[in-house]
Amino acid sequence: MSTAEDVPISSPDDIAREMQELELALLREGIAERTAVRERCARCNRTPLIGERVYRYEHGTLVCELCRSLEHQPPLSAQLVHGPAFGHTIRVIDQRAA
């Protein structure tokens, strides 16, 4: 069983370096998770902005508003890009008598 005496004491420089490494690792992991979830335009590879319309074509191809004019076929569907809080926010409804 280890005691507090068995644990080596790190210098302030070592602790600062380890904290920076941890911060970078967490940042990289978060970016990787977000980019894996995002859909991109099949033509320009751009991530559509929140509030922008995107269009689905055959074979599930997603095209942004800017590239839509380059397509020769009509889209199968159109949808609005929502932000990360979509579906998780609370809408307050005033239920007082008017």
Side-chain angles (χ1 to χ4, degrees):
M1 180 180 249
S2 72
T3 63
E5 295 172 0
D6 297 338
V7 178
I9 299 173
S10 299
S11 71
D13 291 337
D14 290 341
I15 293 172
R17 182 181 45 77
E18 289 174 5
M19 286 181 63
Q20 287 178 345
E21 289 174 3
L22 176 62
E23 287 177 16
L24 284 173
L26 291 173
L27 179 64
R28 287 185 183 119
E29 184 178 320
I31 289 172
E33 286 177 6
R34 289 181 185 212
T35 55
V37 174
R38 286 190 183 141
E39 292 185 323
R40 296 185 175 271
C41 175
R43 284 192 163 263
C44 67
N45 204 30
R46 187 177 67 82
T47 302
L49 301 172
I50 295 171
E52 183 177 350
R53 287 212 178 274
V54 292
Y55 302 89
R56 287 236 184 251
Y57 288 87
E58 289 183 21
H59 308 293
T61 305
L62 183 81
V63 177
C64 70
E65 185 76 41
L66 299 173
C67 296
R68 181 179 176 214
S69 62
L70 302 174
E71 291 292 322
H72 302 293
Q73 306 171 13
L76 298 176
S77 66
Q79 62 191 49
L80 193 64
V81 176
H82 297 289
F86 182 75
H88 299 287
T89 56
I90 299 172
R91 181 173 45 170
V92 178
I93 300 174
D94 188 5
Q95 297 183 357
R96 294 179 287 180

